[in-house]
């Protein structure tokens, strides 16, 4: 299969270059003003050798500067899980734009959003940020404050944004920095403990040191492919964090795909702190982090108000009125209970389509789904933890499938084979992906 993948990749690269002359010209021009020719380094990861330049995005589609239209399953890597520019959010944001953007004063929307997030997620004392990275950073700082402990525990191959403490991985039993970690401020074993997902004994051993302020966890790993929690794992995670008096921070930024209250509500989790970002403002920079009453009471009074502007938590533009208006409109009109029902149904259809192709061609691959997020991995069984998932990555096949799909008007996320359903995605969009995936699989095995 490797040989046919290499051959197909060459063909697809030629075809991509031929059909995207304007994107290519813009990429060449960008080299003289942007570092490495892109506004953000991740944009170098797109499979065609240069990124597609978008001219316009709407609903679950976009058109590029060469006039080609795409079905978008990447959806800004979850930032646009709402669909692009949903009308009620555009309206609310446009109205707010005419009434002020940022003041360092609260608006009534903040109260509404706090109340709604409490209804959805259970934790009840909220703060706002502009990115999920910041929500996680601030949650960690406050966890250190209330526990008086220095360390954070994360799971091997997790991703929680550009949070310094989280770029740690295991080499044997040693905590080391991940490959590619740029300019780490201190060695990672000073700040972080790392254990494998689904390893209850390893978790207990790490927590027993008594120096972990918080466990920061996605309720299923999503950033090394989806790695679900095994039955009973969340119960163990909760009871061990309680036993060792470590706060449990659940990061719902991606697992919001599991339902209106994320995985937490869908599976009855009881985090001490919950963080969420990306989609909750339809892509207008927005994030939130919330605490239980009990943790809020422990924080209460420990932050000196006179110093709170330089305490390392917050930001000038955090909780600005535009961001809050976007969150309110998104939660009221777009990411509703009914929308999730539809999106999850489409996720099932996507999963069934991929599974049928895998079965028809007897491929040693599998497909997995979490709510409206679906992903296929080029290994036969589901991985149990981050290490198994990392070992199962196949960069050649990833790149080929991405480019094959892109050349046929279907966009997947650049990092792995992940597809998200939005309220604007249709059954025809899903079926188009199945058709393209079937064609790629047939060519690969021919
Ligand atoms: C689970 C999780 N948390 C947090 C983040 C950080 O989000 P942002 O890059 O918007 O700060 C990401 C980004 O991919 C994520 O996957």
């Amino acid at each position: 299969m490797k040989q046919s993948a290499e051959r197909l990749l060459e063909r697809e690269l030629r075809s991509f270059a031929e059909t995207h002359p304007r994107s290519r010209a813009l990429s060449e021009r960008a080299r003289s003003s942007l570092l490495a020719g892109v506004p953000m380094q991740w944009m170098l990861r797109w499979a065609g050798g240069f990124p597609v330049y978008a001219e316009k995005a709407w609903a679950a589609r976009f058109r590029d500067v060469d006039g080609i239209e795409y079905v978008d399953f990447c959806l800004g890597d979850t930032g646009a899980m709402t669909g692009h520019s949903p009308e009620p959010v555009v309206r609310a944001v446009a109205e707010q734009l005419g009434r002020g953007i940022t003041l360092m004063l609260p608006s009534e929307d903040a109260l509404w959003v706090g109340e709604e997030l409490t209804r959805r997620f259970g934790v009840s004392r909220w703060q706002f940020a502009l990115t999920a990275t910041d929500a996680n950073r601030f949650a960690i700082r406050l966890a250190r404050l209330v526990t008086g402990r220095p360390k954070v525990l994360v799971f091997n191959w997790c991703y929680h944004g550009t949070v310094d403490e989280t770029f740690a991985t295991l080499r044997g039993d040693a905590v080391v920095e991940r490959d590619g970690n740029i300019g780490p401020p201190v060695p990672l074993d000073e700040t972080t403990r790392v254990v494998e997902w689904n390893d209850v004994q390893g978790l207990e051993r790490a927590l027993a040191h008594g120096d972990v302020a918080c466990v920061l966890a996605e309720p299923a790993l999503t950033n090394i492919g989806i790695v679900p929690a095994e039955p009973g794992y969340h119960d163990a995670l909760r009871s061990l964090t309680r036993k060792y008096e470590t706060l449990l921070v659940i990061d719902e930024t991606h697992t919001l795909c599991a339902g209106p209250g994320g995985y937490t509500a869908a599976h009855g989790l009881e985090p001490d702190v919950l963080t969420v970002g990306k989609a909750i403002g339809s892509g207008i920079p927005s994030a939130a982090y919330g605490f239980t009453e009990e943790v809020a009471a422990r924080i209460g009074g420990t932050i000196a108000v006179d110093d709170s502007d330089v305490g390392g938590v917050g930001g000038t533009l955090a909780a600005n009125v535009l961001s809050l208006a976007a969150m309110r409109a998104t939660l009221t009109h777009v990411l509703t209970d009914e929308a999730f029902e539809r999106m999850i149904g489409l996720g099932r259809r996507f999963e069934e389509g991929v599974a049928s192709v895998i079965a028809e061609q007897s491929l040693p691959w599998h497909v997995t789904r979490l709510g409206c997020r679906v992903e296929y991995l080029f290994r036969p069984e589901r991985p149990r933890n981050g290490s198994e998932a990392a070992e199962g990555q196949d960069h050649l096949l990833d790149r080929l499938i991405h480019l094959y799909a892109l050349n046929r008007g279907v966009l997947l996320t650049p990092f792995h084979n992940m597809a998200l359903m939005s309220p604007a995605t249709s059954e025809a969009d899903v079926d188009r992906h199945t058709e393209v995936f079937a064609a790629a699989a047939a060519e690969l095995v021919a």
Side-chain angles (χ1 to χ4, degrees):
M1 184 171 301
K2 185 159 180 270
Q3 269 172 351
S4 57
E6 280 167 351
R7 187 176 37 78
L8 287 172
L9 183 60
E10 255 175 54
R11 185 191 74 190
E12 295 298 317
L13 279 167
R14 272 197 306 278
S15 150
F16 180 78
E18 276 161 22
T19 49
H20 296 80
R22 298 202 64 201
S23 278
R24 184 168 49 174
L26 289 170
S27 288
E28 277 160 16
R29 187 177 130 205
R31 291 206 187 107
S32 59
S33 62
L34 303 178
L35 185 66
V38 279
M40 196 190 62
Q41 298 292 302
W42 289 345
M43 292 180 187
L44 294 171
R45 291 277 305 265
W46 289 105
F50 56 88
V52 164
Y53 276 66
E55 186 230 350
K56 179 180 171 166
W58 69 98
R61 306 186 162 259
F62 75 99
R63 187 169 56 234
D64 72 13
V65 290
D66 289 292
I68 304 170
E69 203 172 301
Y70 303 81
V71 178
D72 189 355
F73 289 105
C74 167
L75 296 168
D77 191 19
T78 308
M81 190 173 85
T82 49
H84 295 289
S85 302
E87 190 277 329
V89 179
V90 171
R91 196 164 10 98
V93 166
E95 275 168 23
Q96 187 60 55
L97 278 171
R99 289 188 280 125
I101 298 168
T102 189
L103 296 98
M104 237 192 195
L105 292 170
S107 64
E108 194 245 328
D109 287 341
L111 283 58
W112 189 95
V113 174
E115 288 154 8
E116 175 63 8
L117 292 176
T118 298
R119 185 187 74 78
R120 289 185 183 224
F121 295 109
V123 299
S124 58
R125 292 284 188 274
W126 291 91
Q127 292 282 276
F128 300 101
L130 296 181
T131 66
T133 296
D134 270 354
N136 285 329
R137 289 179 46 231
F138 304 153
I140 289 171
R141 277 187 175 253
L142 288 160
R144 286 192 174 119
L145 175 78
V146 299
T147 60
R149 294 176 175 183
K151 287 195 171 168
V152 174
L153 185 148
V154 295
F155 294 95
N156 210 14
W157 294 100
C158 69
Y159 185 75
H160 295 282
T162 51
V163 179
D164 287 328
E165 292 90 337
T166 60
F167 289 104
T169 191
L170 287 173
R171 187 171 303 139
D173 286 338
V175 171
V176 297
E177 67 188 67
R178 267 179 89 146
D179 286 347
N181 187 23
I182 299 164
V186 292
L188 269 292
D189 60 350
E190 285 181 22
T191 59
T192 310
R193 293 196 180 279
V194 182
V195 297
E196 292 287 2
W197 185 238
N198 282 322
D199 174 6
V200 176
Q201 282 82 29
L203 177 64
E204 174 142 32
R205 271 197 308 279
L207 291 177
H209 290 277
D211 57 0
V212 178
C214 67
V215 169
L216 174 59
E218 280 194 282
L221 301 186
T222 66
N223 282 293
I224 187 74
I226 297 171
V227 186
E230 290 181 341
Y233 187 67
H234 272 293
D235 292 339
L237 176 59
R238 185 61 280 197
S239 66
L240 287 173
T241 42
R242 286 200 173 118
K243 178 174 169 188
Y244 292 101
E245 297 177 1
T246 294
L247 295 181
L248 177 59
V249 183
I250 292 288
D251 178 351
E252 287 278 8
T253 301
H254 274 185
T255 47
L256 183 60
C257 62
Y263 190 104
T264 292
H267 296 267
L269 305 190
E270 295 176 1
D272 299 301
V273 187
L274 188 138
T275 62
V276 62
K278 294 200 186 189
I280 61 163
S282 298
I284 297 285
S286 311
Y289 52 111
F291 304 88
T292 57
E293 301 268 329
E294 197 215 323
V295 178
R298 287 169 70 188
I299 297 171
T302 57
I303 302 174
V305 174
D306 282 349
D307 296 331
S308 59
D309 54 334
V310 289
V313 171
T316 312
L317 300 181
N320 71 69
V321 291
L322 187 71
S323 170
L324 266 307
M327 285 190 252
R328 181 173 187 163
T330 301
L331 296 171
T332 306
H333 301 293
V334 187
L335 293 180
T336 59
D337 294 5
E338 304 74 52
F340 270 101
E341 212 169 293
R342 248 199 93 247
M343 289 148 73
I344 291 170
L346 288 169
R348 272 191 218 104
R349 188 181 181 96
F350 193 109
E351 180 186 25
E352 283 159 14
V354 172
S356 69
V357 172
I358 291 175
E360 261 162 41
Q361 302 288 2
S362 307
L363 289 161
W365 303 347
H366 77 279
V367 57
T368 184
R369 181 177 65 80
L370 184 62
C372 64
R373 174 183 300 266
V374 192
E375 200 159 63
Y376 35 98
L377 274 92
F378 304 118
R379 48 173 278 145
E381 296 104 28
R382 274 183 171 187
R384 247 200 96 217
N385 57 37
S387 290
E388 284 184 18
E391 277 158 26
Q393 306 286 316
D394 186 324
H395 295 294
L396 174 62
L397 279 181
D398 266 6
R399 187 162 182 213
L400 172 65
I401 298 282
H402 279 262
L403 193 56
Y404 196 99
L406 195 65
N407 281 338
R408 287 152 189 82
V410 174
L411 188 80
L412 297 164
T413 47
F415 308 130
H416 25 111
N417 302 290
M418 194 271 285
L420 267 180
M421 313 301 133
S422 75
T425 306
S426 68
E427 291 188 350
D429 295 338
V430 170
D431 296 345
R432 174 68 189 143
H433 169 270
T434 308
E435 210 175 277
V436 167
F437 180 64
E443 286 210 68
L444 267 168
V445 297

